[in-house]
Amino acid sequence: MRSRILRAILLAVAVTGIALGIPLGYTALRLVDDGARGDLASRARQIAALIDDQIADGRPIDLEPVQVGVPEGGHLVVTSADGVREFGTTPGPDALSVELPIAQQGTVRLEVSSAPMHTAQYQVAALVVLLVVLSVGTGTVVATVTARKLARPLRHVAARAARLGAGDFRRDDRRHDVPELDLVADALDKSAGALAQLVQRERELVGDVSHQLRSRLTALQLRLEALSLHPEPDAAAEARAALEQAERLGEVLNEMLAAARAARAVGAEPLDLGAELSAIAEEWREPLRGVGRALRVRVPEGLLARATPARLREAIGVLLDNALRHGEGPVTVSARRDDATVVVEVADGGAGVPDELAHHIFERGVSGGGSTGVGLALARALVDADGGRLELSTARPATFAVFLPVPKAEDVVGVSWRTDLTPR
């Protein structure tokens, strides 16, 4: 996009330079030519007037008084009834000449070399070319700065759209004072909010359906187990057959839920948590520093976890935003290996979560600080989509723990690891 903008502006500058340079150069050359010829004609008129005065007084033509009007290197030829009189040397074939009539059918012809005029024309032409080059150069600098200024917000909006497609639903308040781009940014923020609500509703729906089906299926299995002990052999056999079908239905339900989780986590990949969490922390270090708080990151070298980068950024970003809004003191982001999972903890030194909210903190619409109550519910949905879980491990001070799966050995490609995937 920047190259297209740059080419368009440079083309406009070049066309403008050519459109102005050619007429300006032609006009400058004509002015030099007209100036040289006008000066020569003025001198010739003065000489002709002096000679006319001599003829009118009855004196013979004398060129000595008019020699002062002949330019340096010029050639004066006076033709009259008394003959031809000359002063100076012939300037050559390529000369400027002016011929004027005098009394008694005579003429005055004044000639000078055209070399000085051509030199002046070359200088003027060089000056015009220099001005055009300076104009194009200035236009190029302005075009480069303008293209960069216009392309930067376009790249930012494109990156925002890419993050949105990757699952990063955080609101981006950055605007560029370009009405059209700001409208796109507003639309992306609205889409992000709508998608976040959709993800949350999907998770809640899957959870509710799974819970209801499992509850009803468990109750049905208990009834069938009781019927399988019926003294009537036929009734007991039918109950056992029905119980077997119920167990198969339970297995199918588990497989479908596992497939749904795997489909949501299709973008998950082995991540180096040291690099990922450090990059996330860089985004939040300045906002926390602005309120006089520090952000520390403690991650063992080489610690890997399986997650989607955009979802992890979003989830950790929600927890850091929560610590910024509702917590106090320094914020710590740490990670450790725990059996078959990797635990990422975000903690601060504030008063923590009130007891009445501790068990409902991840429910949509629940908030203790006047916020929308969407962030933590969305963060849990995103972590759950990658096969992990988000919990409030400590209410006072508030410590949130993200449990992520450890990548399998065959999934780790191009990442430094040991055979047991333990931290170095």
Side-chain angles (χ1 to χ4, degrees), residues 48-61 78-82 102-106:
L50 290 175
I51 293 176
D52 282 339
D53 290 341
Q54 292 177 359
I55 295 174
D57 293 340
R59 292 177 293 164
I61 296 176
V78 178
T79 304
S80 65
D82 298 335
I102 60 175
Q104 298 181 358
Q105 297 182 351

Side-chain angles (χ1 to χ4, degrees), residues 269-282 308-310 312-313:
E269 60 187 49
L271 299 178
D272 183 350
L273 286 181
E276 288 293 329
L277 294 179
S278 296
I280 297 171
E282 285 302 317
T308 304
L312 181 63
R313 285 196 301 269

Side-chain angles (χ1 to χ4, degrees), residues 5 28 81 83-84 89 121 138 171 177 204 260 297 319 328 338 344 366 415:
I5 296 174
V84 178
T89 58
Q121 288 180 326
T138 303
R171 179 180 176 83
D177 295 329
E204 292 176 351
V297 179
L319 299 180
E328 298 176 0
D338 185 16
V344 179
V366 175
V415 182

Side-chain angles (χ1 to χ4, degrees), residues 1-11 143 146-152 154:
M1 178 60 72
R2 186 175 69 178
S3 60
R4 292 183 179 179
I5 296 174
L6 184 59
R7 285 198 300 268
I9 297 177
L10 288 179
L11 179 61
T146 304
R148 186 180 293 112
K149 185 177 180 180
L150 291 176
R152 188 181 297 115
L154 289 174

Side-chain angles (χ1 to χ4, degrees), residues 279-303:
I280 297 171
E282 285 302 317
E283 299 180 16
W284 291 92
R285 202 177 301 277
E286 191 61 33
L288 285 165
R289 187 182 293 118
V291 294
R293 300 170 63 186
L295 176 59
R296 304 187 182 97
V297 179
R298 299 171 181 170
V299 183
E301 182 182 354
L303 183 61

